[in-house]
Amino acid sequence: MNTAVAAFLGRHNFPVKQDIDAVVDALLFDMNEGLSGRKAGQDMIRTFCNPPDKGPDGQSVIVIDAGGTNFRSCLVSFDGKGKPSIDFMEKTRMPGTDGELSKKDFFDKFAENLEHLKDKSDKIGFCFSYPMTITEDGDGVLINFSKEIKAPEVVGSHIGKELAKALKAHGWKKDVKISLLNDTVAALLAGAATVADGMKYSSYVGFILGTGMNGAYIQGEDSRYKNLKRQIVVCESGKFADVIKSDFDIALDKKSEKPGTGLMEKQCSGAYMGPLSYEAVHAAASEGLFSDKFCQSLLQIKGLTQIEMDNFLHAPYSTASILGAKAAESATADDYDKLFQLLDAIVDRCARLATAILAACVIQGGCGKEATKPVCLLCDGTSFYKTYKVRPRVESYLEEILLRQRELYYEIVSCDNDITLGSAIGGLIKK
């Protein structure tokens, strides 16, 4: 790394080449605290469900995917051999992203978005990608919103119960059974439902790195944890706080909707990667890391998105991105190199933290000890697959952390429509 960039990052407490093993150890300690009923950064939410033993042959289920930005809904139907088909798919904005909503207005918006699916099934698999306490009947009580959703009255509500009430008010005749699940649980269930012929997995992990970030795994029975039967556990990894916080992280957190929360998520998820890069670039330009003309040009930028910073990393000499355009006007060759390395350090830390979460889930799950039965890691999210070199770096770091150091076997997989498929299966699990 350029010595000036390294010195700048060190001055601001930004960890170059983050120690992945140290983060794994901290995550595992925190997981154990949460599962033991003690205070922990991660919520370690029990879901009271496991992947089903049989396929969902001949059934239909309404699927809702309420994510950080989008609200998707459709009908998933399984034929006699369990092959799914997806119909009536619609996508709109997630309620609460365009202004604050009351509790009633929030669920009314949901009901309006589901009008095209009215009474097409009495089962709803609801992927609600926010921290919840899952109840034994499959409902979910919202702990808090992340991703800048503005609907504070909804916190503490039974999401399924409130939605069912809103659907009734909007003329639904069927009494619907709504099963709440997290997107990581949906990913995990999709991985379990799409195992290739001749393949066996010892366990499953669901991991999301998109607008937000989270992990889920299957926790086996363990004498350390009272009354904990084998089940999927959602970690809420994005809430983990025992990570090194640079000056850029602190500045971003202060400007966020909810300072002091979601600290790990703010270091590497898509909702925050752009603003975090802006804080670093703005500080670098203010301190004269680049040539005088380029510093002045960069200081004119009022913000960055993940797409803008990622476009520069993929094609630094393209003028299609705001950073590339500014660089073309006034940057020296040294400026290009410094800016690239600065942004690349942010992305590399993201990959290292993602690796730590995946590794901790595998280790805590206690499986993957046989080469022929690895742990299936279903990874989802545009930040994982499209952000500059995140996936190949995660693959490389995982090989070192899990395979070489611990002789634990795993396989990263993906499947089309994974969250939709997993949510449908979640809607059909009997509780």
Side-chain angles (χ1 to χ4, degrees), residues 84-127:
S85 62
I86 300 173
D87 299 294
F88 309 108
M89 173 68 80
E90 287 192 5
K91 182 176 79 170
T92 185
R93 291 279 294 174
M94 174 67 188
T97 55
D98 297 322
E100 184 170 317
L101 296 175
S102 68
K103 180 176 175 179
K104 182 180 184 304
D105 288 342
F106 183 80
F107 287 104
D108 278 343
K109 285 285 186 184
F110 272 52
E112 290 169 14
N113 290 343
L114 296 172
E115 188 66 25
H116 65 296
L117 295 169
K118 183 180 288 185
D119 291 324
K120 292 190 182 299
S121 174
D122 62 353
K123 299 180 182 65
I124 297 179
F126 191 170
C127 179

mmCIF file of all heavy atoms in Angstrom, residues 84-127:
data_model
loop_
_atom_site.group_PDB
_atom_site.id
_atom_site.type_symbol
_atom_site.label_atom_id
_atom_site.label_comp_id
_atom_site.label_asym_id
_atom_site.label_seq_id
_atom_site.Cartn_x
_atom_site.Cartn_y
_atom_site.Cartn_z
ATOM 1 N N PRO A 84 -41.037 -25.251 -7.905
ATOM 2 C CA PRO A 84 -41.786 -24.015 -7.669
ATOM 3 C C PRO A 84 -42.028 -23.198 -8.932
ATOM 4 O O PRO A 84 -41.243 -23.237 -9.882
ATOM 5 C CB PRO A 84 -40.863 -23.238 -6.718
ATOM 6 C CG PRO A 84 -39.485 -23.669 -7.131
ATOM 7 C CD PRO A 84 -39.614 -25.115 -7.560
ATOM 8 N N SER A 85 -43.114 -22.461 -8.935
ATOM 9 C CA SER A 85 -43.363 -21.454 -9.955
ATOM 10 C C SER A 85 -43.774 -20.173 -9.249
ATOM 11 O O SER A 85 -44.426 -20.208 -8.199
ATOM 12 C CB SER A 85 -44.458 -21.901 -10.933
ATOM 13 O OG SER A 85 -45.687 -22.088 -10.254
ATOM 14 N N ILE A 86 -43.376 -19.051 -9.805
ATOM 15 C CA ILE A 86 -43.624 -17.740 -9.190
ATOM 16 C C ILE A 86 -44.540 -16.927 -10.094
ATOM 17 O O ILE A 86 -44.250 -16.731 -11.272
ATOM 18 C CB ILE A 86 -42.292 -16.988 -8.955
ATOM 19 C CG1 ILE A 86 -41.384 -17.795 -8.021
ATOM 20 C CG2 ILE A 86 -42.557 -15.602 -8.372
ATOM 21 C CD1 ILE A 86 -39.991 -17.223 -7.877
ATOM 22 N N ASP A 87 -45.651 -16.469 -9.531
ATOM 23 C CA ASP A 87 -46.626 -15.694 -10.303
ATOM 24 C C ASP A 87 -47.015 -14.423 -9.545
ATOM 25 O O ASP A 87 -46.813 -14.313 -8.337
ATOM 26 C CB ASP A 87 -47.886 -16.529 -10.571
ATOM 27 C CG ASP A 87 -47.573 -17.786 -11.376
ATOM 28 O OD1 ASP A 87 -47.177 -17.652 -12.538
ATOM 29 O OD2 ASP A 87 -47.718 -18.893 -10.803
ATOM 30 N N PHE A 88 -47.582 -13.472 -10.294
ATOM 31 C CA PHE A 88 -48.126 -12.217 -9.724
ATOM 32 C C PHE A 88 -47.067 -11.411 -8.957
ATOM 33 O O PHE A 88 -47.378 -10.765 -7.962
ATOM 34 C CB PHE A 88 -49.310 -12.517 -8.786
ATOM 35 C CG PHE A 88 -50.364 -13.394 -9.401
ATOM 36 C CD1 PHE A 88 -50.509 -14.719 -8.995
ATOM 37 C CD2 PHE A 88 -51.199 -12.914 -10.396
ATOM 38 C CE1 PHE A 88 -51.480 -15.536 -9.556
ATOM 39 C CE2 PHE A 88 -52.177 -13.726 -10.963
ATOM 40 C CZ PHE A 88 -52.320 -15.030 -10.539
ATOM 41 N N MET A 89 -45.837 -11.451 -9.426
ATOM 42 C CA MET A 89 -44.768 -10.723 -8.747
ATOM 43 C C MET A 89 -44.926 -9.217 -8.955
ATOM 44 O O MET A 89 -45.111 -8.742 -10.072
ATOM 45 C CB MET A 89 -43.397 -11.163 -9.272
ATOM 46 C CG MET A 89 -42.221 -10.339 -8.749
ATOM 47 S SD MET A 89 -41.906 -10.546 -6.979
ATOM 48 C CE MET A 89 -41.005 -12.111 -6.975
ATOM 49 N N GLU A 90 -44.882 -8.481 -7.856
ATOM 50 C CA GLU A 90 -44.894 -7.021 -7.923
ATOM 51 C C GLU A 90 -43.838 -6.469 -6.969
ATOM 52 O O GLU A 90 -43.545 -7.070 -5.937
ATOM 53 C CB GLU A 90 -46.266 -6.443 -7.558
ATOM 54 C CG GLU A 90 -47.318 -6.644 -8.637
ATOM 55 C CD GLU A 90 -48.571 -5.819 -8.389
ATOM 56 O OE1 GLU A 90 -48.583 -5.017 -7.428
ATOM 57 O OE2 GLU A 90 -49.535 -5.982 -9.157
ATOM 58 N N LYS A 91 -43.283 -5.324 -7.344
ATOM 59 C CA LYS A 91 -42.266 -4.680 -6.510
ATOM 60 C C LYS A 91 -42.601 -3.205 -6.355
ATOM 61 O O LYS A 91 -42.959 -2.536 -7.323
ATOM 62 C CB LYS A 91 -40.877 -4.826 -7.132
ATOM 63 C CG LYS A 91 -39.759 -4.210 -6.295
ATOM 64 C CD LYS A 91 -38.394 -4.471 -6.904
ATOM 65 C CE LYS A 91 -38.106 -3.539 -8.059
ATOM 66 N NZ LYS A 91 -36.701 -3.608 -8.515
ATOM 67 N N THR A 92 -42.480 -2.706 -5.128
ATOM 68 C CA THR A 92 -42.700 -1.289 -4.866
ATOM 69 C C THR A 92 -41.744 -0.854 -3.764
ATOM 70 O O THR A 92 -40.917 -1.639 -3.297
ATOM 71 C CB THR A 92 -44.169 -1.029 -4.476
ATOM 72 O OG1 THR A 92 -44.375 0.374 -4.342
ATOM 73 C CG2 THR A 92 -44.520 -1.722 -3.166
ATOM 74 N N ARG A 93 -41.838 0.375 -3.342
ATOM 75 C CA ARG A 93 -40.951 0.880 -2.288
ATOM 76 C C ARG A 93 -41.364 0.335 -0.928
ATOM 77 O O ARG A 93 -42.546 0.144 -0.643
ATOM 78 C CB ARG A 93 -41.009 2.412 -2.246
ATOM 79 C CG ARG A 93 -40.392 3.091 -3.457
ATOM 80 C CD ARG A 93 -38.904 3.182 -3.356
ATOM 81 N NE ARG A 93 -38.456 4.048 -2.282
ATOM 82 C CZ ARG A 93 -37.171 4.190 -1.933
ATOM 83 N NH1 ARG A 93 -36.241 3.500 -2.566
ATOM 84 N NH2 ARG A 93 -36.821 5.013 -0.953
ATOM 85 N N MET A 94 -40.393 0.082 -0.089
ATOM 86 C CA MET A 94 -40.666 -0.352 1.267
ATOM 87 C C MET A 94 -41.319 0.785 2.046
ATOM 88 O O MET A 94 -40.802 1.907 2.084
ATOM 89 C CB MET A 94 -39.351 -0.769 1.948
ATOM 90 C CG MET A 94 -39.488 -1.111 3.410
ATOM 91 S SD MET A 94 -40.474 -2.599 3.705
ATOM 92 C CE MET A 94 -40.607 -2.516 5.510
ATOM 93 N N PRO A 95 -42.499 0.546 2.646
ATOM 94 C CA PRO A 95 -43.134 1.577 3.473
ATOM 95 C C PRO A 95 -42.189 2.094 4.550
ATOM 96 O O PRO A 95 -41.473 1.319 5.187
ATOM 97 C CB PRO A 95 -44.333 0.842 4.086
ATOM 98 C CG PRO A 95 -44.658 -0.225 3.100
ATOM 99 C CD PRO A 95 -43.327 -0.681 2.561
ATOM 100 N N GLY A 96 -42.184 3.410 4.741
ATOM 101 C CA GLY A 96 -41.329 4.009 5.746
ATOM 102 C C GLY A 96 -40.004 4.524 5.223
ATOM 103 O O GLY A 96 -39.230 5.122 5.971
ATOM 104 N N THR A 97 -39.728 4.302 3.920
ATOM 105 C CA THR A 97 -38.474 4.799 3.353
ATOM 106 C C THR A 97 -38.606 6.223 2.833
ATOM 107 O O THR A 97 -37.606 6.920 2.663
ATOM 108 C CB THR A 97 -37.995 3.893 2.198
ATOM 109 O OG1 THR A 97 -39.044 3.773 1.221
ATOM 110 C CG2 THR A 97 -37.624 2.517 2.710
ATOM 111 N N ASP A 98 -39.833 6.657 2.560
ATOM 112 C CA ASP A 98 -40.039 7.982 1.971
ATOM 113 C C ASP A 98 -40.657 8.987 2.939
ATOM 114 O O ASP A 98 -41.203 10.006 2.535
ATOM 115 C CB ASP A 98 -40.934 7.871 0.728
ATOM 116 C CG ASP A 98 -40.302 7.030 -0.363
ATOM 117 O OD1 ASP A 98 -39.071 7.126 -0.533
ATOM 118 O OD2 ASP A 98 -41.027 6.274 -1.037
ATOM 119 N N GLY A 99 -40.598 8.703 4.216
ATOM 120 C CA GLY A 99 -41.190 9.586 5.217
ATOM 121 C C GLY A 99 -41.761 8.773 6.359
ATOM 122 O O GLY A 99 -42.083 7.586 6.200
ATOM 123 N N GLU A 100 -41.908 9.379 7.514
ATOM 124 C CA GLU A 100 -42.359 8.659 8.700
ATOM 125 C C GLU A 100 -43.828 8.286 8.590
ATOM 126 O O GLU A 100 -44.657 9.078 8.133
ATOM 127 C CB GLU A 100 -42.127 9.502 9.951
ATOM 128 C CG GLU A 100 -42.475 8.774 11.237
ATOM 129 C CD GLU A 100 -42.012 9.515 12.475
ATOM 130 O OE1 GLU A 100 -40.875 10.034 12.473
ATOM 131 O OE2 GLU A 100 -42.783 9.572 13.450
ATOM 132 N N LEU A 101 -44.146 7.044 9.023
ATOM 133 C CA LEU A 101 -45.515 6.536 8.998
ATOM 134 C C LEU A 101 -45.950 6.143 10.405
ATOM 135 O O LEU A 101 -45.142 5.665 11.208
ATOM 136 C CB LEU A 101 -45.616 5.302 8.087
ATOM 137 C CG LEU A 101 -45.337 5.501 6.594
ATOM 138 C CD1 LEU A 101 -45.364 4.151 5.887
ATOM 139 C CD2 LEU A 101 -46.341 6.446 5.966
ATOM 140 N N SER A 102 -47.242 6.312 10.675
ATOM 141 C CA SER A 102 -47.808 5.788 11.917
ATOM 142 C C SER A 102 -47.924 4.270 11.793
ATOM 143 O O SER A 102 -47.791 3.707 10.707
ATOM 144 C CB SER A 102 -49.184 6.397 12.166
ATOM 145 O OG SER A 102 -50.111 5.919 11.183
ATOM 146 N N LYS A 103 -48.217 3.621 12.903
ATOM 147 C CA LYS A 103 -48.390 2.163 12.896
ATOM 148 C C LYS A 103 -49.516 1.757 11.952
ATOM 149 O O LYS A 103 -49.358 0.845 11.134
ATOM 150 C CB LYS A 103 -48.677 1.677 14.313
ATOM 151 C CG LYS A 103 -48.887 0.189 14.457
ATOM 152 C CD LYS A 103 -49.070 -0.149 15.930
ATOM 153 C CE LYS A 103 -49.414 -1.598 16.154
ATOM 154 N NZ LYS A 103 -49.560 -1.915 17.607
ATOM 155 N N LYS A 104 -50.649 2.421 12.020
ATOM 156 C CA LYS A 104 -51.792 2.087 11.161
ATOM 157 C C LYS A 104 -51.446 2.308 9.690
ATOM 158 O O LYS A 104 -51.713 1.448 8.844
ATOM 159 C CB LYS A 104 -53.011 2.914 11.539
ATOM 160 C CG LYS A 104 -54.260 2.585 10.703
ATOM 161 C CD LYS A 104 -55.442 3.432 11.103
ATOM 162 C CE LYS A 104 -56.698 3.025 10.349
ATOM 163 N NZ LYS A 104 -56.530 3.071 8.885
ATOM 164 N N ASP A 105 -50.836 3.437 9.387
ATOM 165 C CA ASP A 105 -50.494 3.733 7.995
ATOM 166 C C ASP A 105 -49.468 2.743 7.451
ATOM 167 O O ASP A 105 -49.513 2.368 6.276
ATOM 168 C CB ASP A 105 -49.953 5.156 7.878
ATOM 169 C CG ASP A 105 -51.033 6.206 8.063
ATOM 170 O OD1 ASP A 105 -52.228 5.858 7.933
ATOM 171 O OD2 ASP A 105 -50.690 7.372 8.348
ATOM 172 N N PHE A 106 -48.555 2.323 8.305
ATOM 173 C CA PHE A 106 -47.523 1.370 7.895
ATOM 174 C C PHE A 106 -48.155 0.069 7.413
ATOM 175 O O PHE A 106 -47.859 -0.424 6.321
ATOM 176 C CB PHE A 106 -46.578 1.108 9.069
ATOM 177 C CG PHE A 106 -45.420 0.194 8.759
ATOM 178 C CD1 PHE A 106 -44.302 0.669 8.106
ATOM 179 C CD2 PHE A 106 -45.450 -1.135 9.156
ATOM 180 C CE1 PHE A 106 -43.220 -0.168 7.836
ATOM 181 C CE2 PHE A 106 -44.383 -1.981 8.893
ATOM 182 C CZ PHE A 106 -43.266 -1.501 8.235
ATOM 183 N N PHE A 107 -49.054 -0.493 8.226
ATOM 184 C CA PHE A 107 -49.674 -1.773 7.843
ATOM 185 C C PHE A 107 -50.737 -1.599 6.760
ATOM 186 O O PHE A 107 -50.964 -2.523 5.959
ATOM 187 C CB PHE A 107 -50.233 -2.471 9.078
ATOM 188 C CG PHE A 107 -49.163 -3.043 9.960
ATOM 189 C CD1 PHE A 107 -48.806 -2.415 11.150
ATOM 190 C CD2 PHE A 107 -48.490 -4.188 9.594
ATOM 191 C CE1 PHE A 107 -47.793 -2.924 11.955
ATOM 192 C CE2 PHE A 107 -47.478 -4.706 10.388
ATOM 193 C CZ PHE A 107 -47.128 -4.072 11.574
ATOM 194 N N ASP A 108 -51.353 -0.442 6.692
ATOM 195 C CA ASP A 108 -52.268 -0.167 5.575
ATOM 196 C C ASP A 108 -51.508 -0.160 4.249
ATOM 197 O O ASP A 108 -52.016 -0.649 3.234
ATOM 198 C CB ASP A 108 -52.972 1.183 5.779
ATOM 199 C CG ASP A 108 -54.168 1.078 6.712
ATOM 200 O OD1 ASP A 108 -54.652 -0.053 6.941
ATOM 201 O OD2 ASP A 108 -54.627 2.122 7.215
ATOM 202 N N LYS A 109 -50.305 0.384 4.258
ATOM 203 C CA LYS A 109 -49.474 0.370 3.048
ATOM 204 C C LYS A 109 -49.153 -1.062 2.629
ATOM 205 O O LYS A 109 -49.160 -1.402 1.449
ATOM 206 C CB LYS A 109 -48.176 1.141 3.302
ATOM 207 C CG LYS A 109 -48.327 2.640 3.324
ATOM 208 C CD LYS A 109 -48.497 3.199 1.920
ATOM 209 C CE LYS A 109 -48.496 4.717 1.927
ATOM 210 N NZ LYS A 109 -48.745 5.269 0.571
ATOM 211 N N PHE A 110 -48.868 -1.905 3.619
ATOM 212 C CA PHE A 110 -48.627 -3.317 3.330
ATOM 213 C C PHE A 110 -49.851 -3.940 2.658
ATOM 214 O O PHE A 110 -49.738 -4.646 1.651
ATOM 215 C CB PHE A 110 -48.292 -4.075 4.624
ATOM 216 C CG PHE A 110 -46.833 -4.063 4.984
ATOM 217 C CD1 PHE A 110 -46.137 -2.872 5.056
ATOM 218 C CD2 PHE A 110 -46.169 -5.239 5.263
ATOM 219 C CE1 PHE A 110 -44.785 -2.850 5.396
ATOM 220 C CE2 PHE A 110 -44.818 -5.239 5.598
ATOM 221 C CZ PHE A 110 -44.130 -4.044 5.664
ATOM 222 N N ALA A 111 -51.013 -3.700 3.238
ATOM 223 C CA ALA A 111 -52.245 -4.283 2.693
ATOM 224 C C ALA A 111 -52.504 -3.776 1.275
ATOM 225 O O ALA A 111 -52.923 -4.555 0.398
ATOM 226 C CB ALA A 111 -53.421 -3.952 3.606
ATOM 227 N N GLU A 112 -52.273 -2.515 1.038
ATOM 228 C CA GLU A 112 -52.442 -1.968 -0.311
ATOM 229 C C GLU A 112 -51.500 -2.654 -1.300
ATOM 230 O O GLU A 112 -51.885 -2.966 -2.433
ATOM 231 C CB GLU A 112 -52.172 -0.459 -0.303
ATOM 232 C CG GLU A 112 -53.231 0.352 0.425
ATOM 233 C CD GLU A 112 -52.798 1.797 0.639
ATOM 234 O OE1 GLU A 112 -51.805 2.223 -0.007
ATOM 235 O OE2 GLU A 112 -53.436 2.494 1.459
ATOM 236 N N ASN A 113 -50.265 -2.900 -0.873
ATOM 237 C CA ASN A 113 -49.286 -3.555 -1.742
ATOM 238 C C ASN A 113 -49.644 -5.008 -2.051
ATOM 239 O O ASN A 113 -49.126 -5.588 -3.007
ATOM 240 C CB ASN A 113 -47.903 -3.510 -1.093
ATOM 241 C CG ASN A 113 -47.314 -2.118 -1.049
ATOM 242 O OD1 ASN A 113 -47.760 -1.221 -1.761
ATOM 243 N ND2 ASN A 113 -46.311 -1.919 -0.200
ATOM 244 N N LEU A 114 -50.504 -5.607 -1.216
ATOM 245 C CA LEU A 114 -50.876 -7.022 -1.391
ATOM 246 C C LEU A 114 -52.237 -7.209 -2.050
ATOM 247 O O LEU A 114 -52.736 -8.336 -2.149
ATOM 248 C CB LEU A 114 -50.880 -7.722 -0.027
ATOM 249 C CG LEU A 114 -49.524 -7.811 0.682
ATOM 250 C CD1 LEU A 114 -49.684 -8.336 2.097
ATOM 251 C CD2 LEU A 114 -48.562 -8.694 -0.108
ATOM 252 N N GLU A 115 -52.844 -6.147 -2.511
ATOM 253 C CA GLU A 115 -54.187 -6.222 -3.089
ATOM 254 C C GLU A 115 -54.260 -7.221 -4.247
ATOM 255 O O GLU A 115 -55.254 -7.933 -4.416
ATOM 256 C CB GLU A 115 -54.622 -4.825 -3.572
ATOM 257 C CG GLU A 115 -56.070 -4.727 -4.017
ATOM 258 C CD GLU A 115 -57.072 -4.930 -2.883
ATOM 259 O OE1 GLU A 115 -56.703 -4.671 -1.710
ATOM 260 O OE2 GLU A 115 -58.211 -5.361 -3.176
ATOM 261 N N HIS A 116 -53.200 -7.314 -5.045
ATOM 262 C CA HIS A 116 -53.204 -8.214 -6.203
ATOM 263 C C HIS A 116 -53.141 -9.693 -5.813
ATOM 264 O O HIS A 116 -53.325 -10.573 -6.658
ATOM 265 C CB HIS A 116 -52.027 -7.891 -7.130
ATOM 266 C CG HIS A 116 -50.674 -8.153 -6.522
ATOM 267 N ND1 HIS A 116 -50.201 -7.463 -5.431
ATOM 268 C CD2 HIS A 116 -49.693 -9.040 -6.852
ATOM 269 C CE1 HIS A 116 -49.001 -7.903 -5.110
ATOM 270 N NE2 HIS A 116 -48.666 -8.860 -5.963
ATOM 271 N N LEU A 117 -52.899 -9.972 -4.521
ATOM 272 C CA LEU A 117 -52.807 -11.361 -4.056
ATOM 273 C C LEU A 117 -53.948 -11.732 -3.111
ATOM 274 O O LEU A 117 -53.921 -12.795 -2.497
ATOM 275 C CB LEU A 117 -51.466 -11.563 -3.319
ATOM 276 C CG LEU A 117 -50.205 -11.409 -4.180
ATOM 277 C CD1 LEU A 117 -48.967 -11.362 -3.306
ATOM 278 C CD2 LEU A 117 -50.102 -12.543 -5.194
ATOM 279 N N LYS A 118 -54.960 -10.900 -3.042
ATOM 280 C CA LYS A 118 -56.052 -11.093 -2.084
ATOM 281 C C LYS A 118 -56.670 -12.481 -2.205
ATOM 282 O O LYS A 118 -57.110 -12.901 -3.286
ATOM 283 C CB LYS A 118 -57.129 -10.031 -2.292
ATOM 284 C CG LYS A 118 -58.281 -10.111 -1.302
ATOM 285 C CD LYS A 118 -59.330 -9.034 -1.562
ATOM 286 C CE LYS A 118 -58.836 -7.664 -1.163
ATOM 287 N NZ LYS A 118 -59.907 -6.632 -1.300
ATOM 288 N N ASP A 119 -56.635 -13.245 -1.089
ATOM 289 C CA ASP A 119 -57.280 -14.557 -0.952
ATOM 290 C C ASP A 119 -56.755 -15.611 -1.918
ATOM 291 O O ASP A 119 -57.430 -16.618 -2.177
ATOM 292 C CB ASP A 119 -58.801 -14.417 -1.105
ATOM 293 C CG ASP A 119 -59.428 -13.686 0.066
ATOM 294 O OD1 ASP A 119 -58.947 -13.876 1.201
ATOM 295 O OD2 ASP A 119 -60.387 -12.914 -0.146
ATOM 296 N N LYS A 120 -55.556 -15.448 -2.467
ATOM 297 C CA LYS A 120 -54.995 -16.483 -3.349
ATOM 298 C C LYS A 120 -54.381 -17.638 -2.561
ATOM 299 O O LYS A 120 -54.078 -18.689 -3.116
ATOM 300 C CB LYS A 120 -53.961 -15.861 -4.298
ATOM 301 C CG LYS A 120 -54.580 -14.904 -5.315
ATOM 302 C CD LYS A 120 -53.593 -14.488 -6.376
ATOM 303 C CE LYS A 120 -54.217 -13.501 -7.352
ATOM 304 N NZ LYS A 120 -55.382 -14.056 -8.074
ATOM 305 N N SER A 121 -54.192 -17.455 -1.257
ATOM 306 C CA SER A 121 -53.752 -18.532 -0.364
ATOM 307 C C SER A 121 -54.068 -18.107 1.057
ATOM 308 O O SER A 121 -54.221 -16.916 1.340
ATOM 309 C CB SER A 121 -52.246 -18.798 -0.515
ATOM 310 O OG SER A 121 -51.814 -19.750 0.454
ATOM 311 N N ASP A 122 -54.171 -19.093 1.954
ATOM 312 C CA ASP A 122 -54.371 -18.750 3.366
ATOM 313 C C ASP A 122 -53.066 -18.840 4.145
ATOM 314 O O ASP A 122 -53.053 -18.752 5.366
ATOM 315 C CB ASP A 122 -55.431 -19.650 4.000
ATOM 316 C CG ASP A 122 -55.039 -21.118 3.984
ATOM 317 O OD1 ASP A 122 -54.002 -21.466 3.364
ATOM 318 O OD2 ASP A 122 -55.770 -21.934 4.581
ATOM 319 N N LYS A 123 -51.954 -19.002 3.417
ATOM 320 C CA LYS A 123 -50.632 -19.067 4.055
ATOM 321 C C LYS A 123 -49.758 -17.961 3.475
ATOM 322 O O LYS A 123 -49.701 -17.769 2.259
ATOM 323 C CB LYS A 123 -49.978 -20.426 3.833
ATOM 324 C CG LYS A 123 -50.748 -21.600 4.408
ATOM 325 C CD LYS A 123 -50.020 -22.908 4.137
ATOM 326 C CE LYS A 123 -50.810 -24.104 4.657
ATOM 327 N NZ LYS A 123 -52.088 -24.279 3.925
ATOM 328 N N ILE A 124 -49.069 -17.257 4.355
ATOM 329 C CA ILE A 124 -48.162 -16.193 3.943
ATOM 330 C C ILE A 124 -46.793 -16.418 4.582
ATOM 331 O O ILE A 124 -46.687 -16.536 5.805
ATOM 332 C CB ILE A 124 -48.689 -14.802 4.339
ATOM 333 C CG1 ILE A 124 -50.013 -14.500 3.619
ATOM 334 C CG2 ILE A 124 -47.655 -13.720 4.021
ATOM 335 C CD1 ILE A 124 -50.611 -13.147 3.983
ATOM 336 N N GLY A 125 -45.782 -16.502 3.751
ATOM 337 C CA GLY A 125 -44.405 -16.526 4.224
ATOM 338 C C GLY A 125 -43.865 -15.117 4.128
ATOM 339 O O GLY A 125 -43.711 -14.562 3.044
ATOM 340 N N PHE A 126 -43.588 -14.503 5.263
ATOM 341 C CA PHE A 126 -43.283 -13.076 5.337
ATOM 342 C C PHE A 126 -41.817 -12.886 5.728
ATOM 343 O O PHE A 126 -41.450 -13.054 6.887
ATOM 344 C CB PHE A 126 -44.212 -12.422 6.359
ATOM 345 C CG PHE A 126 -44.192 -10.919 6.370
ATOM 346 C CD1 PHE A 126 -45.146 -10.225 7.101
ATOM 347 C CD2 PHE A 126 -43.236 -10.185 5.687
ATOM 348 C CE1 PHE A 126 -45.153 -8.833 7.138
ATOM 349 C CE2 PHE A 126 -43.225 -8.807 5.716
ATOM 350 C CZ PHE A 126 -44.182 -8.127 6.448
ATOM 351 N N CYS A 127 -40.999 -12.546 4.751
ATOM 352 C CA CYS A 127 -39.593 -12.258 5.020
ATOM 353 C C CYS A 127 -39.481 -10.794 5.409
ATOM 354 O O CYS A 127 -39.553 -9.903 4.561
ATOM 355 C CB CYS A 127 -38.744 -12.563 3.789
ATOM 356 S SG CYS A 127 -36.999 -12.210 4.031
#
